[in-house]
C-alpha cells in the first residue's frame, strides 16, 4: 500500500485534477499538507550565486503577485526572515545557450518556500512555477505545501514568429517573450526575411532593408534591446534569413544577386515564388558574407537559421549560365546546387562561429553534421535526419497559422514511441518550435493565434511524455490563459475591441455570441475562399474569431451530459438557454449590419445560428418529452446543417459535429 501511494504521488500526472493549474506540468510533484500564507508580511530574497537575471525575475514576479493579490508589500516586512528564498549554485551564463541547466527544486511548507536551482536560468523557470501555484480562499492567498523536482524533457523549446510577411513591432515581440517565459519556452525564432519583407537594419547593405521593408523593420538598437529582454528571461533569439528562395525582398535593392534579371519589387501575394539567389556568382557570397558577419555580431546566439525551404528552382532552370555551372561542377539537380550553396553558407557561418539551422530541404549528405534540421515535414523526416546523425527540431504539427484546436497540437510529440530511434539518435531530437506564420496575422491578432494554444505545446516540450490528458490540459489552459493576459497579451481582449470597431458601437451585443462560436477555416483554406494579399486588412470577423472556440467546447460538454441523461434538468435548462440565445441573435445582428456594411458577410452566419437555435430547442423538446419529431424533420434539418457546414466569410461552426449528435438522438426511433 505504501509503495502504491509513493508511486502515485511521485507522478505529477496522478495528482487529483483539482490540485494545481501548473502549465507545463513539472517532472515530479509531491503534495504535502499545509500552506504558506501570502500576506503583507511576505518577503522574498535571492541568495547563493544567483545573478541579476534571477533577482530581476523575482522582482517582476513579486510585482505580478502584488497585482494579483492586491497586497502592497512593505519595504521592511519580513526582510530578516523571507518566506520565499531563491538560491542558485552558480550564476550560469548571462547569455542563454542551448543545453543550459534549467532544473530547479521547490519546497513549500507552512513556514517557507525554498527555490533551489543549479543556475540562474533554473531559478527563472522556478519563479514562474511559484506564481502559477498561488491559490486563494476565504482565509487569503497562499502557496500549497509541496515538493517539486523539475527539469525540461527537451532543451530547445521555441516559437517562430514570421515578421517577414507581416511586421510585428518590438512591443508585440516583448509581450510574447513574457508569455513564453511564463510557460518556460526558451527560444524565439525570428523569421526576419521573406518575399514580402526584409525586417532588419543592416549598415553594410542598407538597400536590403530600405528597399525591401516598406519602412517596417527592426533597427539594430531594437534588436539589441530584444536580445537583452529575451536573455533576461533566459530565452535565446535565433534569427532566420531565408535563402536562396523566399528571397524577393532582398532582390529589390540587390537584383545583382538574383538568378534572373530584375527589377524586383516586394511581393504582395502569398505563396511560393520564383525569385531566387544566384548560387553561382561570387557577388552573392560577397554580400552574404558581409551581411551574415554583421548579423553574427548583432545576434549573440551560436545558431543561425538560413531557411532553405521551398526553392522552386525555376529561375535556376531557366538560366543558361547556372545550368552550365551545374554541368561543370557535376551538380545533377536543383537540390545538389542548393547543397553547394549551403556548403558555401556553412563555411561563412563557421567563420563567424555560428552553427547552421535550416528547414528539411537543406538535408544533404555533403553538409556537416553540425547543422540542425528544422522539420516542417513531420516526425519521420526528423527521425531520418537523426538516423543520419543530424540534430533536429520538430515544427510539423505545430503550425499555429493552420488554426487547429489545442488538443491536436498538444498530442503531437517530437519523439513518438514508434519512431524506432536508438537512445543516441533520439537525443539528437532537440525539441521543437511552434510556428506562427503571418499571412493572416498582424499585431492586433497575433496573440490570439499564439495564445493560449502555445502553452499546451510548451507543455509537450517541457513535461514528461506521458502527460497527455487532454481534459486536464484544457482545465489548466483556462487558468494559464488568465495569467498570460495579465502579462499584457491580447489573446482575449482583441476580439471585443475588434467587434466594437466592426459594429461601430460600444454594444455589439449578439455579434459577440456569434463571434464566440465561429472559428476561421482550417489549414490553407482561407486564401482559397478569398484571394488575399499583404494589403488585405486583418480586421474582419474571421480575424476577430479565435481558434479552438471555448464556447463550442463548452456546448459540446453540456450536450454530452444531456444526451447521457435527457432527464437531467440542469443540462436541459442550460441547453435551452443557449439555443434561445442563438435563435434570437438575428434581429439585433441585422440592425447592426444595416449600419455597418463591413459586416454584411455575417448575415448568413446569423441565419445559420438562429436556425440552429430553433432546431436545437425542438430537438431538446422531443428528447425531454420522449416524442418523435414530425415526418421529414430529420431530412429538413440535415439539409439545413449541410448549408451551415459551408464556410461563410471564411468562418465555420466548430459546434456542428456535437449539434449533429443532438439531431441524431432526437430523430432516433425507439425511446
Ligand atoms: C515552411 O513551411 N516552408 C517552412
Amino acid at each position: 500500500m505504501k509503495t502504491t501511494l509513493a508511486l502515485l504521488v511521485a507522478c505529477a500526472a496522478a495528482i487529483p485534477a483539482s490540485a494545481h493549474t501548473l502549465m507545463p506540468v513539472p517532472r515530479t510533484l509531491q503534495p504535502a499538507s499545509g500552506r504558506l500564507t501570502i500576506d503583507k508580511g511576505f518577503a522574498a530574497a535571492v541568495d547563493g550565486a544567483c545573478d541579476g537575471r534571477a533577482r530581476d525575475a523575482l522582482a517582476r514576479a513579486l510585482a505580478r503577485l502584488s497585482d494579483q493579490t492586491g497586497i502592497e508589500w512593505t519595504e521592511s516586512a519580513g526582510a530578516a526572515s523571507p518566506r520565499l528564498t531563491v538560491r542558485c549554485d552558480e550564476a550560469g551564463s548571462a547569455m542563454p545557450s542551448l543545453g543550459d541547466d534549467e532544473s530547479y527544486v521547490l519546497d513549500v511548507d507552512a513556514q517557507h518556500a525554498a527555490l533551489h536551482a543549479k543556475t540562474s536560468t533554473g531559478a527563472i523557470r522556478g519563479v514562474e512555477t511559484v506564481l502559477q501555484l498561488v491559490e486563494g480562499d476565504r482565509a487569503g492567498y497562499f502557496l500549497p505545501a509541496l515538493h517539486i523536482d523539475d527539469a525540461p524533457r527537451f532543451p530547445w523549446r521555441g516559437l517562430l514568429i514570421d515578421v517577414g510577411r507581416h511586421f510585428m513591432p518590438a512591443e508585440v515581440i516583448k509581450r510574447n517573450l513574457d508569455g513564453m517565459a511564463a510557460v518556460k519556452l526558451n527560444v524565439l525564432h525570428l523569421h526576419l526575411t521573406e518575399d514580402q519583407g526584409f525586417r532588419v537594419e543592416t549598415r553594410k547593405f542598407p538597400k536590403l532593408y530600405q528597399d525591401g521593408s516598406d519602412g517596417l523593420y527592426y533597427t539594430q538598437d531594437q534588436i539589441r534591446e530584444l536580445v537583452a529582454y529575451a536573455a533576461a528571461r533566459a530565452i535565446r533569439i535565433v534569427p532566420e534569413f531565408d535563402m536562396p528562395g523566399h528571397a524577393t525582398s532582398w532582390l529589390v535593392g540587390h537584383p545583382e544577386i538574383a538568378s534572373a534579371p530584375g527589377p524586383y519589387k516586394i511581393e504582395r501575394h502569398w505563396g511560393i515564388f520564383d525569385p531566387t539567389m544566384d548560387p553561382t556568382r561570387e557577388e552573392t557570397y560577397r554580400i552574404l558574407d558581409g551581411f551574415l558577419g554583421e548579423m553574427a555580431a548583432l545576434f549573440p546566439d551560436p545558431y543561425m537559421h538560413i531557411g532553405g525551404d521551398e526553392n522552386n528552382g525555376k529561375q535556376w532552370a531557366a538560366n543558361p549560365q547556372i545550368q552550365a555551372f551545374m554541368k561543370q561542377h557535376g551538380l545533377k539537380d536543383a537540390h545538389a546546387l542548393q547543397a553547394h550553396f549551403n556548403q558555401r553558407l556553412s563555411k561563412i557561418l563557421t567563420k563567424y562561429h555560428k552553427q547552421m539551422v535550416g528547414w528539411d530541404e537543406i538535408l544533404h549528405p555533403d553538409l556537416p553534421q553540425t547543422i540542425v534540421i528544422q522539420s516542417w515535414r513531420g516526425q519521420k523526416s526528423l527521425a531520418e535526419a537523426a538516423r543520419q546523425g543530424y540534430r533536429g527540431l520538430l515544427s510539423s504539427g505545430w503550425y499555429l497559422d493552420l488554426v487547429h484546436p489545442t488538443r491536436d497540437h498538444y498530442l503531437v510529440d517530437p519523439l513518438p514511441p514508434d519512431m524506432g530511434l536508438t537512445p543516441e539518435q533520439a537525443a539528437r531530437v532537440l525539441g521543437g518550435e511552434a510556428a506562427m506564420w503571418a499571412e493572416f496575422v498582424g499585431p492586433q491578432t497575433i496573440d490570439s493565434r499564439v495564445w493560449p494554444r502555445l502553452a499546451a505545446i510548451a507543455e509537450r516540450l517541457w513535461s514528461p511524455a506521458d502527460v497527455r490528458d487532454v481534459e486536464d490540459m484544457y482545465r489548466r489552459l483556462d487558468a494559464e490563459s488568465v495569467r498570460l493576459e495579465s502579462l499584457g497579451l491580447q489573446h482575449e481582449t482583441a476580439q471585443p475591441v475588434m467587434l466594437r470597431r466592426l459594429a461601430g458601437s460600444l454594444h455589439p451585443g449578439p455579434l459577440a455570441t456569434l463571434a464566440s462560436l465561429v472559428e476561421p477555416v482550417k489549414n490553407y483554406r482561407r486564401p482559397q475562399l478569398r484571394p488575399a494579399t499583404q494589403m488585405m486588412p486583418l480586421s474582419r470577423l474571421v480575424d476577430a474569431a479565435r481558434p479552438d472556440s471555448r464556447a463550442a467546447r463548452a456546448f459540446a460538454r453540456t450536450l454530452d451530459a444531456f444526451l447521457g441523461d435527457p432527464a437531467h434538468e440542469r443540462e436541459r435548462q442550460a441547453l435551452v438557454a443557449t439555443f434561445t440565445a442563438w435563435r434570437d441573435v438575428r434581429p439585433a445582428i441585422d440592425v447592426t449590419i444595416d449600419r455597418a456594411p463591413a459586416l454584411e458577410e455575417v448575415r448568413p452566419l446569423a441565419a445559420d445560428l438562429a436556425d440552429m437555435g430553433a432546431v436545437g430547442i425542438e430537438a431538446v423538446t422531443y428528447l425531454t418529452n420522449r416524442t418523435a419529431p414530425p415526418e421529414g424533420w430529420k431530412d429538413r434539418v440535415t439539409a439545413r446543417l449541410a448549408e451551415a457546414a459551408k464556410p461563410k466569410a471564411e468562418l465555420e461552426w466548430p459546434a456542428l459535429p456535437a449539434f449533429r449528435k443532438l439531431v441524431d438522438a432526437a430523430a432516433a426511433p425507439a425511446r
Side-chain angles (χ1 to χ4, degrees), residues 243-265:
M243 57 185 115
H246 282 288
T248 310
S249 67
W250 303 63
L251 309 177
V252 184
H254 284 278
E256 72 277 16
I257 67 168
S259 301
Y264 291 88
K265 49 189 183 26

Side-chain angles (χ1 to χ4, degrees), residues 357-379:
V357 189
W359 298 103
D360 304 76
E361 288 95 324
I362 75 163
L363 188 60
H364 191 282
D366 288 350
L367 283 176
Q369 293 195 333
T370 49
I371 68 169
V372 176
I373 301 294
Q374 182 165 13
S375 180
W376 66 286
R377 291 183 168 172
Q379 286 102 328

Side-chain angles (χ1 to χ4, degrees), residues 470-528:
V470 169
E471 281 309 306
D472 192 56
M473 176 275 289
Y474 273 120
R475 179 186 66 81
R476 290 178 291 110
L477 191 68
D478 281 351
E480 185 53 36
S481 186
V482 173
R483 293 189 288 254
L484 289 164
E485 271 197 299
S486 74
L487 292 165
L489 287 162
Q490 299 177 6
H491 52 290
E492 295 284 344
T493 51
Q495 184 179 84
V497 173
M498 294 173 80
L499 295 184
R500 287 195 286 271
R501 177 173 59 200
L502 281 168
S505 158
L506 264 179
H507 305 289
L511 187 61
T513 305
L514 188 151
S516 75
L517 285 158
V518 284
E519 286 175 8
V521 289
K522 310 294 178 290
N523 300 324
Y524 295 104
R525 195 130 187 238
R526 183 166 171 181
Q528 294 164 1

